PDB file of all heavy atoms in Angstrom:
ATOM      1  N   ASP A   1     -22.349 -19.270 -57.574  1.00 85.00           N
ATOM      2  CA  ASP A   1     -21.877 -19.964 -58.801  1.00 85.00           C
ATOM      3  C   ASP A   1     -20.412 -20.088 -58.942  1.00 85.00           C
ATOM      4  O   ASP A   1     -19.877 -21.001 -59.491  1.00 85.00           O
ATOM      5  CB  ASP A   1     -22.382 -19.169 -60.028  1.00 85.00           C
ATOM      6  CG  ASP A   1     -23.940 -19.141 -60.106  1.00 85.00           C
ATOM      7  OD1 ASP A   1     -24.587 -19.972 -59.499  1.00 85.00           O
ATOM      8  OD2 ASP A   1     -24.491 -18.292 -60.837  1.00 85.00           O
ATOM      9  N   ARG A   2     -19.644 -19.014 -58.457  1.00 80.00           N
ATOM     10  CA  ARG A   2     -18.253 -18.922 -58.804  1.00 80.00           C
ATOM     11  C   ARG A   2     -17.393 -19.323 -57.605  1.00 80.00           C
ATOM     12  O   ARG A   2     -16.090 -19.510 -57.731  1.00 80.00           O
ATOM     13  CB  ARG A   2     -17.804 -17.577 -59.256  1.00 80.00           C
ATOM     14  CG  ARG A   2     -18.531 -17.301 -60.520  1.00 80.00           C
ATOM     15  CD  ARG A   2     -17.993 -15.968 -61.184  1.00 80.00           C
ATOM     16  NE  ARG A   2     -18.591 -15.828 -62.462  1.00 80.00           N
ATOM     17  CZ  ARG A   2     -19.526 -14.786 -62.785  1.00 80.00           C
ATOM     18  NH1 ARG A   2     -19.737 -13.902 -61.920  1.00 80.00           N
ATOM     19  NH2 ARG A   2     -20.079 -14.724 -63.944  1.00 80.00           N
ATOM     20  N   GLY A   3     -17.935 -19.357 -56.408  1.00 75.00           N
ATOM     21  CA  GLY A   3     -17.134 -19.645 -55.183  1.00 75.00           C
ATOM     22  C   GLY A   3     -17.225 -21.017 -54.748  1.00 75.00           C
ATOM     23  O   GLY A   3     -18.026 -21.846 -55.264  1.00 75.00           O
ATOM     24  N   ARG A   4     -16.315 -21.337 -53.832  1.00 84.00           N
ATOM     25  CA  ARG A   4     -16.410 -22.637 -53.095  1.00 84.00           C
ATOM     26  C   ARG A   4     -16.814 -22.378 -51.639  1.00 84.00           C
ATOM     27  O   ARG A   4     -16.956 -21.279 -51.220  1.00 84.00           O
ATOM     28  CB  ARG A   4     -15.072 -23.297 -53.215  1.00 84.00           C
ATOM     29  CG  ARG A   4     -14.694 -23.695 -54.661  1.00 84.00           C
ATOM     30  CD  ARG A   4     -13.648 -24.733 -54.626  1.00 84.00           C
ATOM     31  NE  ARG A   4     -13.025 -25.174 -55.863  1.00 84.00           N
ATOM     32  CZ  ARG A   4     -13.346 -25.268 -56.993  1.00 84.00           C
ATOM     33  NH1 ARG A   4     -14.501 -24.895 -57.348  1.00 84.00           N
ATOM     34  NH2 ARG A   4     -12.563 -25.605 -57.977  1.00 84.00           N
ATOM     35  N   ARG A   5     -17.072 -23.419 -50.858  1.00 85.00           N
ATOM     36  CA  ARG A   5     -17.480 -23.324 -49.517  1.00 85.00           C
ATOM     37  C   ARG A   5     -16.565 -22.309 -48.769  1.00 85.00           C
ATOM     38  O   ARG A   5     -17.064 -21.530 -47.907  1.00 85.00           O
ATOM     39  CB  ARG A   5     -17.409 -24.635 -48.746  1.00 85.00           C
ATOM     40  CG  ARG A   5     -17.926 -24.601 -47.443  1.00 85.00           C
ATOM     41  CD  ARG A   5     -18.020 -25.913 -46.695  1.00 85.00           C
ATOM     42  NE  ARG A   5     -18.502 -25.895 -45.422  1.00 85.00           N
ATOM     43  CZ  ARG A   5     -19.699 -25.866 -45.031  1.00 85.00           C
ATOM     44  NH1 ARG A   5     -20.739 -26.011 -45.828  1.00 85.00           N
ATOM     45  NH2 ARG A   5     -20.058 -25.681 -43.779  1.00 85.00           N
ATOM     46  N   ARG A   6     -15.276 -22.391 -48.905  1.00 88.00           N
ATOM     47  CA  ARG A   6     -14.389 -21.472 -48.083  1.00 88.00           C
ATOM     48  C   ARG A   6     -14.618 -20.005 -48.465  1.00 88.00           C
ATOM     49  O   ARG A   6     -14.683 -19.143 -47.661  1.00 88.00           O
ATOM     50  CB  ARG A   6     -12.913 -21.826 -48.320  1.00 88.00           C
ATOM     51  CG  ARG A   6     -12.035 -21.088 -47.509  1.00 88.00           C
ATOM     52  CD  ARG A   6     -12.089 -21.459 -45.984  1.00 88.00           C
ATOM     53  NE  ARG A   6     -11.181 -20.588 -45.187  1.00 88.00           N
ATOM     54  CZ  ARG A   6     -11.546 -20.036 -44.107  1.00 88.00           C
ATOM     55  NH1 ARG A   6     -12.658 -20.272 -43.561  1.00 88.00           N
ATOM     56  NH2 ARG A   6     -10.718 -19.300 -43.391  1.00 88.00           N
ATOM     57  N   THR A   7     -14.894 -19.817 -49.708  1.00 87.00           N
ATOM     58  CA  THR A   7     -15.152 -18.455 -50.238  1.00 87.00           C
ATOM     59  C   THR A   7     -16.557 -17.961 -49.628  1.00 87.00           C
ATOM     60  O   THR A   7     -16.720 -16.829 -49.277  1.00 87.00           O
ATOM     61  CB  THR A   7     -15.260 -18.413 -51.775  1.00 87.00           C
ATOM     62  OG1 THR A   7     -13.944 -18.846 -52.258  1.00 87.00           O
ATOM     63  CG2 THR A   7     -15.527 -17.035 -52.348  1.00 87.00           C
ATOM     64  N   HIS A   8     -17.503 -18.872 -49.629  1.00 88.00           N
ATOM     65  CA  HIS A   8     -18.844 -18.486 -49.151  1.00 88.00           C
ATOM     66  C   HIS A   8     -18.736 -18.130 -47.661  1.00 88.00           C
ATOM     67  O   HIS A   8     -19.391 -17.169 -47.185  1.00 88.00           O
ATOM     68  CB  HIS A   8     -19.787 -19.773 -49.293  1.00 88.00           C
ATOM     69  CG  HIS A   8     -19.983 -20.141 -50.752  1.00 88.00           C
ATOM     70  ND1 HIS A   8     -20.545 -21.294 -51.088  1.00 88.00           N
ATOM     71  CD2 HIS A   8     -19.767 -19.517 -51.867  1.00 88.00           C
ATOM     72  CE1 HIS A   8     -20.603 -21.364 -52.397  1.00 88.00           C
ATOM     73  NE2 HIS A   8     -20.183 -20.291 -52.847  1.00 88.00           N
ATOM     74  N   GLU A   9     -17.860 -18.915 -46.894  1.00 90.00           N
ATOM     75  CA  GLU A   9     -17.752 -18.539 -45.477  1.00 90.00           C
ATOM     76  C   GLU A   9     -17.107 -17.188 -45.256  1.00 90.00           C
ATOM     77  O   GLU A   9     -17.548 -16.432 -44.422  1.00 90.00           O
ATOM     78  CB  GLU A   9     -16.851 -19.639 -44.804  1.00 90.00           C
ATOM     79  CG  GLU A   9     -17.494 -21.024 -44.670  1.00 90.00           C
ATOM     80  CD  GLU A   9     -16.564 -22.051 -44.331  1.00 90.00           C
ATOM     81  OE1 GLU A   9     -15.318 -21.828 -44.175  1.00 90.00           O
ATOM     82  OE2 GLU A   9     -16.987 -23.209 -44.070  1.00 90.00           O
ATOM     83  N   LYS A  10     -16.068 -16.863 -46.012  1.00 91.00           N
ATOM     84  CA  LYS A  10     -15.332 -15.631 -45.877  1.00 91.00           C
ATOM     85  C   LYS A  10     -16.237 -14.433 -46.281  1.00 91.00           C
ATOM     86  O   LYS A  10     -16.308 -13.508 -45.581  1.00 91.00           O
ATOM     87  CB  LYS A  10     -14.163 -15.570 -46.694  1.00 91.00           C
ATOM     88  CG  LYS A  10     -12.983 -16.405 -46.100  1.00 91.00           C
ATOM     89  CD  LYS A  10     -11.775 -16.238 -46.974  1.00 91.00           C
ATOM     90  CE  LYS A  10     -10.618 -16.978 -46.261  1.00 91.00           C
ATOM     91  NZ  LYS A  10      -9.295 -16.683 -46.974  1.00 91.00           N
ATOM     92  N   VAL A  11     -16.959 -14.606 -47.353  1.00 89.00           N
ATOM     93  CA  VAL A  11     -17.795 -13.500 -47.797  1.00 89.00           C
ATOM     94  C   VAL A  11     -19.065 -13.350 -46.921  1.00 89.00           C
ATOM     95  O   VAL A  11     -19.387 -12.139 -46.611  1.00 89.00           O
ATOM     96  CB  VAL A  11     -18.301 -13.803 -49.321  1.00 89.00           C
ATOM     97  CG1 VAL A  11     -19.328 -12.723 -49.668  1.00 89.00           C
ATOM     98  CG2 VAL A  11     -17.035 -13.702 -50.181  1.00 89.00           C
ATOM     99  N   THR A  12     -19.629 -14.381 -46.428  1.00 90.00           N
ATOM    100  CA  THR A  12     -20.725 -14.211 -45.540  1.00 90.00           C
ATOM    101  C   THR A  12     -20.294 -13.559 -44.267  1.00 90.00           C
ATOM    102  O   THR A  12     -20.960 -12.643 -43.755  1.00 90.00           O
ATOM    103  CB  THR A  12     -21.427 -15.527 -45.286  1.00 90.00           C
ATOM    104  OG1 THR A  12     -20.554 -16.505 -44.810  1.00 90.00           O
ATOM    105  CG2 THR A  12     -22.196 -16.063 -46.508  1.00 90.00           C
ATOM    106  N   ASP A  13     -19.148 -13.843 -43.697  1.00 93.00           N
ATOM    107  CA  ASP A  13     -18.548 -13.274 -42.533  1.00 93.00           C
ATOM    108  C   ASP A  13     -18.308 -11.635 -42.812  1.00 93.00           C
ATOM    109  O   ASP A  13     -18.641 -10.865 -41.986  1.00 93.00           O
ATOM    110  CB  ASP A  13     -17.309 -13.894 -42.042  1.00 93.00           C
ATOM    111  CG  ASP A  13     -17.475 -15.232 -41.363  1.00 93.00           C
ATOM    112  OD1 ASP A  13     -18.617 -15.438 -40.854  1.00 93.00           O
ATOM    113  OD2 ASP A  13     -16.514 -15.993 -41.247  1.00 93.00           O
ATOM    114  N   TRP A  14     -17.798 -11.333 -44.044  1.00 92.00           N
ATOM    115  CA  TRP A  14     -17.639 -10.030 -44.376  1.00 92.00           C
ATOM    116  C   TRP A  14     -18.969  -9.296 -44.452  1.00 92.00           C
ATOM    117  O   TRP A  14     -19.030  -8.095 -43.980  1.00 92.00           O
ATOM    118  CB  TRP A  14     -16.810  -9.874 -45.656  1.00 92.00           C
ATOM    119  CG  TRP A  14     -16.637  -8.479 -46.085  1.00 92.00           C
ATOM    120  CD1 TRP A  14     -15.558  -7.644 -45.766  1.00 92.00           C
ATOM    121  CD2 TRP A  14     -17.402  -7.668 -46.930  1.00 92.00           C
ATOM    122  NE1 TRP A  14     -15.803  -6.387 -46.331  1.00 92.00           N
ATOM    123  CE2 TRP A  14     -16.864  -6.430 -47.014  1.00 92.00           C
ATOM    124  CE3 TRP A  14     -18.557  -7.994 -47.646  1.00 92.00           C
ATOM    125  CZ2 TRP A  14     -17.448  -5.381 -47.749  1.00 92.00           C
ATOM    126  CZ3 TRP A  14     -19.129  -6.978 -48.382  1.00 92.00           C
ATOM    127  CH2 TRP A  14     -18.514  -5.676 -48.572  1.00 92.00           C
ATOM    128  N   ILE A  15     -19.949  -9.825 -45.035  1.00 91.00           N
ATOM    129  CA  ILE A  15     -21.266  -9.090 -45.157  1.00 91.00           C
ATOM    130  C   ILE A  15     -21.900  -8.949 -43.752  1.00 91.00           C
ATOM    131  O   ILE A  15     -22.419  -7.935 -43.444  1.00 91.00           O
ATOM    132  CB  ILE A  15     -22.176  -9.984 -46.062  1.00 91.00           C
ATOM    133  CG1 ILE A  15     -21.734  -9.924 -47.572  1.00 91.00           C
ATOM    134  CG2 ILE A  15     -23.665  -9.429 -45.988  1.00 91.00           C
ATOM    135  CD1 ILE A  15     -22.444 -10.833 -48.462  1.00 91.00           C
ATOM    136  N   LYS A  16     -21.732  -9.905 -42.770  1.00 90.00           N
ATOM    137  CA  LYS A  16     -22.245  -9.835 -41.490  1.00 90.00           C
ATOM    138  C   LYS A  16     -21.557  -8.565 -40.856  1.00 90.00           C
ATOM    139  O   LYS A  16     -22.171  -7.742 -40.159  1.00 90.00           O
ATOM    140  CB  LYS A  16     -21.925 -11.063 -40.643  1.00 90.00           C
ATOM    141  CG  LYS A  16     -22.799 -12.206 -41.006  1.00 90.00           C
ATOM    142  CD  LYS A  16     -22.633 -13.365 -40.023  1.00 90.00           C
ATOM    143  CE  LYS A  16     -21.239 -13.676 -39.725  1.00 90.00           C
ATOM    144  NZ  LYS A  16     -20.973 -14.801 -38.870  1.00 90.00           N
ATOM    145  N   GLN A  17     -20.222  -8.501 -40.888  1.00 92.00           N
ATOM    146  CA  GLN A  17     -19.540  -7.376 -40.322  1.00 92.00           C
ATOM    147  C   GLN A  17     -19.982  -5.971 -41.009  1.00 92.00           C
ATOM    148  O   GLN A  17     -20.129  -4.963 -40.347  1.00 92.00           O
ATOM    149  CB  GLN A  17     -18.026  -7.482 -40.600  1.00 92.00           C
ATOM    150  CG  GLN A  17     -17.383  -8.576 -39.832  1.00 92.00           C
ATOM    151  CD  GLN A  17     -15.983  -8.833 -40.108  1.00 92.00           C
ATOM    152  OE1 GLN A  17     -15.392  -8.222 -41.036  1.00 92.00           O
ATOM    153  NE2 GLN A  17     -15.379  -9.857 -39.513  1.00 92.00           N
ATOM    154  N   LEU A  18     -20.333  -6.007 -42.260  1.00 91.00           N
ATOM    155  CA  LEU A  18     -20.728  -4.760 -43.014  1.00 91.00           C
ATOM    156  C   LEU A  18     -22.061  -4.410 -42.361  1.00 91.00           C
ATOM    157  O   LEU A  18     -22.289  -3.211 -42.104  1.00 91.00           O
ATOM    158  CB  LEU A  18     -20.888  -5.081 -44.473  1.00 91.00           C
ATOM    159  CG  LEU A  18     -21.542  -3.935 -45.305  1.00 91.00           C
ATOM    160  CD1 LEU A  18     -20.602  -2.741 -45.387  1.00 91.00           C
ATOM    161  CD2 LEU A  18     -21.830  -4.439 -46.735  1.00 91.00           C
ATOM    162  N   VAL A  19     -22.932  -5.400 -42.231  1.00 88.00           N
ATOM    163  CA  VAL A  19     -24.312  -5.049 -41.757  1.00 88.00           C
ATOM    164  C   VAL A  19     -24.236  -4.447 -40.332  1.00 88.00           C
ATOM    165  O   VAL A  19     -24.932  -3.590 -40.022  1.00 88.00           O
ATOM    166  CB  VAL A  19     -25.212  -6.334 -41.759  1.00 88.00           C
ATOM    167  CG1 VAL A  19     -26.482  -6.198 -41.049  1.00 88.00           C
ATOM    168  CG2 VAL A  19     -25.496  -6.762 -43.249  1.00 88.00           C
ATOM    169  N   ASP A  20     -23.413  -5.053 -39.476  1.00 89.00           N
ATOM    170  CA  ASP A  20     -23.259  -4.725 -38.133  1.00 89.00           C
ATOM    171  C   ASP A  20     -22.670  -3.247 -38.058  1.00 89.00           C
ATOM    172  O   ASP A  20     -23.095  -2.386 -37.240  1.00 89.00           O
ATOM    173  CB  ASP A  20     -22.377  -5.679 -37.264  1.00 89.00           C
ATOM    174  CG  ASP A  20     -23.085  -6.943 -37.127  1.00 89.00           C
ATOM    175  OD1 ASP A  20     -24.225  -7.013 -37.311  1.00 89.00           O
ATOM    176  OD2 ASP A  20     -22.355  -7.854 -36.706  1.00 89.00           O
ATOM    177  N   ALA A  21     -21.649  -2.939 -38.918  1.00 93.00           N
ATOM    178  CA  ALA A  21     -20.972  -1.645 -38.910  1.00 93.00           C
ATOM    179  C   ALA A  21     -21.874  -0.508 -39.439  1.00 93.00           C
ATOM    180  O   ALA A  21     -21.784   0.523 -38.877  1.00 93.00           O
ATOM    181  CB  ALA A  21     -19.708  -1.765 -39.650  1.00 93.00           C
ATOM    182  N   CYS A  22     -22.641  -0.802 -40.434  1.00 90.00           N
ATOM    183  CA  CYS A  22     -23.527   0.228 -41.053  1.00 90.00           C
ATOM    184  C   CYS A  22     -24.789   0.511 -40.264  1.00 90.00           C
ATOM    185  O   CYS A  22     -25.184   1.637 -40.286  1.00 90.00           O
ATOM    186  CB  CYS A  22     -23.949  -0.200 -42.427  1.00 90.00           C
ATOM    187  SG  CYS A  22     -22.474  -0.235 -43.567  1.00 90.00           S
ATOM    188  N   ALA A  23     -25.250  -0.400 -39.547  1.00 86.00           N
ATOM    189  CA  ALA A  23     -26.485  -0.201 -38.833  1.00 86.00           C
ATOM    190  C   ALA A  23     -27.631   0.374 -39.588  1.00 86.00           C
ATOM    191  O   ALA A  23     -28.401   1.284 -39.215  1.00 86.00           O
ATOM    192  CB  ALA A  23     -26.200   0.606 -37.594  1.00 86.00           C
ATOM    193  N   VAL A  24     -27.731  -0.077 -40.871  1.00 89.00           N
ATOM    194  CA  VAL A  24     -28.828   0.314 -41.734  1.00 89.00           C
ATOM    195  C   VAL A  24     -29.471  -0.939 -42.197  1.00 89.00           C
ATOM    196  O   VAL A  24     -28.861  -1.963 -42.257  1.00 89.00           O
ATOM    197  CB  VAL A  24     -28.440   1.236 -42.828  1.00 89.00           C
ATOM    198  CG1 VAL A  24     -27.911   2.521 -42.310  1.00 89.00           C
ATOM    199  CG2 VAL A  24     -27.392   0.529 -43.784  1.00 89.00           C
ATOM    200  N   PRO A  25     -30.719  -0.911 -42.794  1.00 89.00           N
ATOM    201  CA  PRO A  25     -31.317  -2.022 -43.336  1.00 89.00           C
ATOM    202  C   PRO A  25     -30.570  -2.578 -44.521  1.00 89.00           C
ATOM    203  O   PRO A  25     -30.064  -1.817 -45.298  1.00 89.00           O
ATOM    204  CB  PRO A  25     -32.736  -1.625 -43.796  1.00 89.00           C
ATOM    205  CG  PRO A  25     -33.023  -0.308 -42.946  1.00 89.00           C
ATOM    206  CD  PRO A  25     -31.641   0.294 -42.716  1.00 89.00           C
ATOM    207  N   CYS A  26     -30.481  -3.941 -44.622  1.00 89.00           N
ATOM    208  CA  CYS A  26     -29.703  -4.489 -45.692  1.00 89.00           C
ATOM    209  C   CYS A  26     -30.580  -5.528 -46.400  1.00 89.00           C
ATOM    210  O   CYS A  26     -31.322  -6.441 -45.686  1.00 89.00           O
ATOM    211  CB  CYS A  26     -28.398  -5.122 -45.239  1.00 89.00           C
ATOM    212  SG  CYS A  26     -27.182  -3.937 -44.618  1.00 89.00           S
ATOM    213  N   VAL A  27     -30.516  -5.668 -47.726  1.00 90.00           N
ATOM    214  CA  VAL A  27     -31.312  -6.584 -48.491  1.00 90.00           C
ATOM    215  C   VAL A  27     -30.344  -7.334 -49.401  1.00 90.00           C
ATOM    216  O   VAL A  27     -29.531  -6.742 -49.953  1.00 90.00           O
ATOM    217  CB  VAL A  27     -32.277  -5.890 -49.344  1.00 90.00           C
ATOM    218  CG1 VAL A  27     -33.089  -6.833 -50.190  1.00 90.00           C
ATOM    219  CG2 VAL A  27     -33.318  -5.197 -48.406  1.00 90.00           C
ATOM    220  N   ILE A  28     -30.461  -8.656 -49.460  1.00 90.00           N
ATOM    221  CA  ILE A  28     -29.722  -9.455 -50.493  1.00 90.00           C
ATOM    222  C   ILE A  28     -30.733  -9.981 -51.471  1.00 90.00           C
ATOM    223  O   ILE A  28     -31.735 -10.596 -51.076  1.00 90.00           O
ATOM    224  CB  ILE A  28     -29.031 -10.617 -49.674  1.00 90.00           C
ATOM    225  CG1 ILE A  28     -27.913 -10.005 -48.826  1.00 90.00           C
ATOM    226  CG2 ILE A  28     -28.403 -11.643 -50.629  1.00 90.00           C
ATOM    227  CD1 ILE A  28     -27.070 -10.998 -48.050  1.00 90.00           C
ATOM    228  N   ALA A  29     -30.359  -9.847 -52.664  1.00 90.00           N
ATOM    229  CA  ALA A  29     -31.246 -10.225 -53.727  1.00 90.00           C
ATOM    230  C   ALA A  29     -30.523 -11.207 -54.694  1.00 90.00           C
ATOM    231  O   ALA A  29     -29.277 -11.036 -54.997  1.00 90.00           O
ATOM    232  CB  ALA A  29     -31.867  -9.000 -54.517  1.00 90.00           C
ATOM    233  N   GLY A  30     -31.255 -12.123 -55.186  1.00 89.00           N
ATOM    234  CA  GLY A  30     -30.681 -13.043 -56.211  1.00 89.00           C
ATOM    235  C   GLY A  30     -31.590 -14.229 -56.476  1.00 89.00           C
ATOM    236  O   GLY A  30     -32.740 -14.211 -55.992  1.00 89.00           O
ATOM    237  N   LEU A  31     -31.051 -15.199 -57.158  1.00 88.00           N
ATOM    238  CA  LEU A  31     -31.888 -16.413 -57.442  1.00 88.00           C
ATOM    239  C   LEU A  31     -31.958 -17.342 -56.252  1.00 88.00           C
ATOM    240  O   LEU A  31     -31.063 -17.190 -55.281  1.00 88.00           O
ATOM    241  CB  LEU A  31     -31.125 -17.051 -58.636  1.00 88.00           C
ATOM    242  CG  LEU A  31     -31.175 -16.265 -59.938  1.00 88.00           C
ATOM    243  CD1 LEU A  31     -30.446 -17.023 -61.113  1.00 88.00           C
ATOM    244  CD2 LEU A  31     -32.583 -15.915 -60.424  1.00 88.00           C
ATOM    245  N   PRO A  32     -32.844 -18.257 -56.233  1.00 86.00           N
ATOM    246  CA  PRO A  32     -33.045 -19.109 -55.038  1.00 86.00           C
ATOM    247  C   PRO A  32     -31.952 -19.917 -54.606  1.00 86.00           C
ATOM    248  O   PRO A  32     -31.831 -20.330 -53.478  1.00 86.00           O
ATOM    249  CB  PRO A  32     -34.197 -20.084 -55.578  1.00 86.00           C
ATOM    250  CG  PRO A  32     -34.934 -19.316 -56.562  1.00 86.00           C
ATOM    251  CD  PRO A  32     -33.883 -18.473 -57.246  1.00 86.00           C
ATOM    252  N   ARG A  33     -30.958 -20.114 -55.390  1.00 86.00           N
ATOM    253  CA  ARG A  33     -29.688 -20.834 -55.031  1.00 86.00           C
ATOM    254  C   ARG A  33     -28.938 -20.197 -53.970  1.00 86.00           C
ATOM    255  O   ARG A  33     -27.979 -20.717 -53.431  1.00 86.00           O
ATOM    256  CB  ARG A  33     -28.880 -21.360 -56.184  1.00 86.00           C
ATOM    257  CG  ARG A  33     -28.416 -20.283 -57.081  1.00 86.00           C
ATOM    258  CD  ARG A  33     -27.624 -20.923 -58.330  1.00 86.00           C
ATOM    259  NE  ARG A  33     -27.253 -19.940 -59.232  1.00 86.00           N
ATOM    260  CZ  ARG A  33     -27.885 -19.619 -60.322  1.00 86.00           C
ATOM    261  NH1 ARG A  33     -28.971 -20.166 -60.564  1.00 86.00           N
ATOM    262  NH2 ARG A  33     -27.372 -18.729 -61.195  1.00 86.00           N
ATOM    263  N   LEU A  34     -29.319 -18.924 -53.580  1.00 85.00           N
ATOM    264  CA  LEU A  34     -28.621 -18.247 -52.503  1.00 85.00           C
ATOM    265  C   LEU A  34     -28.787 -18.957 -51.153  1.00 85.00           C
ATOM    266  O   LEU A  34     -28.044 -18.716 -50.264  1.00 85.00           O
ATOM    267  CB  LEU A  34     -29.153 -16.894 -52.406  1.00 85.00           C
ATOM    268  CG  LEU A  34     -28.611 -15.834 -53.336  1.00 85.00           C
ATOM    269  CD1 LEU A  34     -29.466 -14.535 -53.175  1.00 85.00           C
ATOM    270  CD2 LEU A  34     -27.229 -15.697 -53.314  1.00 85.00           C
ATOM    271  N   ASP A  35     -29.805 -19.899 -51.101  1.00 84.00           N
ATOM    272  CA  ASP A  35     -29.968 -20.608 -49.876  1.00 84.00           C
ATOM    273  C   ASP A  35     -28.709 -21.395 -49.436  1.00 84.00           C
ATOM    274  O   ASP A  35     -28.541 -21.637 -48.234  1.00 84.00           O
ATOM    275  CB  ASP A  35     -31.079 -21.670 -50.058  1.00 84.00           C
ATOM    276  CG  ASP A  35     -32.416 -20.927 -50.103  1.00 84.00           C
ATOM    277  OD1 ASP A  35     -32.569 -19.770 -49.623  1.00 84.00           O
ATOM    278  OD2 ASP A  35     -33.401 -21.581 -50.536  1.00 84.00           O
ATOM    279  N   VAL A  36     -27.821 -21.605 -50.329  1.00 85.00           N
ATOM    280  CA  VAL A  36     -26.516 -22.284 -49.943  1.00 85.00           C
ATOM    281  C   VAL A  36     -25.864 -21.431 -48.932  1.00 85.00           C
ATOM    282  O   VAL A  36     -25.156 -21.966 -48.005  1.00 85.00           O
ATOM    283  CB  VAL A  36     -25.630 -22.466 -51.211  1.00 85.00           C
ATOM    284  CG1 VAL A  36     -24.181 -22.888 -50.950  1.00 85.00           C
ATOM    285  CG2 VAL A  36     -26.312 -23.463 -52.115  1.00 85.00           C
ATOM    286  N   LEU A  37     -25.897 -20.080 -48.990  1.00 85.00           N
ATOM    287  CA  LEU A  37     -25.167 -19.258 -48.067  1.00 85.00           C
ATOM    288  C   LEU A  37     -25.758 -19.440 -46.707  1.00 85.00           C
ATOM    289  O   LEU A  37     -24.955 -19.363 -45.698  1.00 85.00           O
ATOM    290  CB  LEU A  37     -25.243 -17.805 -48.554  1.00 85.00           C
ATOM    291  CG  LEU A  37     -24.629 -17.521 -49.821  1.00 85.00           C
ATOM    292  CD1 LEU A  37     -24.742 -15.963 -50.198  1.00 85.00           C
ATOM    293  CD2 LEU A  37     -23.206 -17.973 -49.890  1.00 85.00           C
ATOM    294  N   ASN A  38     -27.012 -19.568 -46.547  1.00 83.00           N
ATOM    295  CA  ASN A  38     -27.615 -19.776 -45.213  1.00 83.00           C
ATOM    296  C   ASN A  38     -27.223 -21.092 -44.562  1.00 83.00           C
ATOM    297  O   ASN A  38     -27.053 -21.262 -43.415  1.00 83.00           O
ATOM    298  CB  ASN A  38     -29.098 -19.834 -45.314  1.00 83.00           C
ATOM    299  CG  ASN A  38     -29.657 -18.509 -45.688  1.00 83.00           C
ATOM    300  OD1 ASN A  38     -29.001 -17.425 -45.480  1.00 83.00           O
ATOM    301  ND2 ASN A  38     -30.936 -18.419 -46.265  1.00 83.00           N
ATOM    302  N   GLU A  39     -26.971 -22.104 -45.428  1.00 85.00           N
ATOM    303  CA  GLU A  39     -26.456 -23.414 -44.938  1.00 85.00           C
ATOM    304  C   GLU A  39     -24.937 -23.355 -44.532  1.00 85.00           C
ATOM    305  O   GLU A  39     -24.583 -24.065 -43.576  1.00 85.00           O
ATOM    306  CB  GLU A  39     -26.594 -24.433 -46.089  1.00 85.00           C
ATOM    307  CG  GLU A  39     -28.030 -24.685 -46.449  1.00 85.00           C
ATOM    308  CD  GLU A  39     -28.184 -25.606 -47.704  1.00 85.00           C
ATOM    309  OE1 GLU A  39     -27.173 -26.126 -48.138  1.00 85.00           O
ATOM    310  OE2 GLU A  39     -29.341 -25.699 -48.163  1.00 85.00           O
ATOM    311  N   VAL A  40     -24.178 -22.559 -45.243  1.00 86.00           N
ATOM    312  CA  VAL A  40     -22.729 -22.404 -44.914  1.00 86.00           C
ATOM    313  C   VAL A  40     -22.497 -21.683 -43.554  1.00 86.00           C
ATOM    314  O   VAL A  40     -21.604 -22.022 -42.847  1.00 86.00           O
ATOM    315  CB  VAL A  40     -22.028 -21.744 -46.058  1.00 86.00           C
ATOM    316  CG1 VAL A  40     -20.702 -21.293 -45.748  1.00 86.00           C
ATOM    317  CG2 VAL A  40     -21.986 -22.649 -47.254  1.00 86.00           C
ATOM    318  N   ASN A  41     -23.305 -20.696 -43.393  1.00 86.00           N
ATOM    319  CA  ASN A  41     -23.133 -19.758 -42.210  1.00 86.00           C
ATOM    320  C   ASN A  41     -24.481 -19.537 -41.472  1.00 86.00           C
ATOM    321  O   ASN A  41     -25.330 -18.810 -41.966  1.00 86.00           O
ATOM    322  CB  ASN A  41     -22.548 -18.417 -42.725  1.00 86.00           C
ATOM    323  CG  ASN A  41     -22.083 -17.597 -41.614  1.00 86.00           C
ATOM    324  OD1 ASN A  41     -22.604 -17.498 -40.582  1.00 86.00           O
ATOM    325  ND2 ASN A  41     -20.981 -16.918 -41.873  1.00 86.00           N
ATOM    326  N   ASP A  42     -24.641 -20.245 -40.397  1.00 86.00           N
ATOM    327  CA  ASP A  42     -25.900 -20.151 -39.667  1.00 86.00           C
ATOM    328  C   ASP A  42     -26.215 -18.662 -39.182  1.00 86.00           C
ATOM    329  O   ASP A  42     -27.302 -18.172 -39.236  1.00 86.00           O
ATOM    330  CB  ASP A  42     -25.847 -21.053 -38.348  1.00 86.00           C
ATOM    331  CG  ASP A  42     -25.872 -22.450 -38.687  1.00 86.00           C
ATOM    332  OD1 ASP A  42     -26.297 -22.798 -39.910  1.00 86.00           O
ATOM    333  OD2 ASP A  42     -25.494 -23.249 -37.888  1.00 86.00           O
TER     334      ASP A  42
END
């Protein structure tokens, strides 16, 4: 809702690094419009 494409790219990259570094199960929850993040970062 609050970010733009560049913000989405940076945050999704950060979350990927977090998931890799923690090596624990991760869940993302929210409304269906989260699909935009999947489109921004394969």
Side-chain angles (χ1 to χ4, degrees):
D1 295 344
R2 296 192 178 114
R4 296 199 188 323
R5 182 177 179 87
R6 185 72 183 133
T7 303
H8 299 162
E9 291 170 354
K10 285 184 175 188
V11 172
T12 54
D13 283 339
W14 179 83
I15 292 171
K16 287 187 317 185
Q17 292 173 0
L18 173 71
V19 168
D20 292 344
C22 291
V24 297
C26 297
V27 175
I28 291 182
L31 297 176
R33 57 184 175 265
L34 283 178
D35 288 341
V36 169
L37 300 180
N38 293 338
E39 296 168 9
V40 168
N41 190 323
D42 291 339

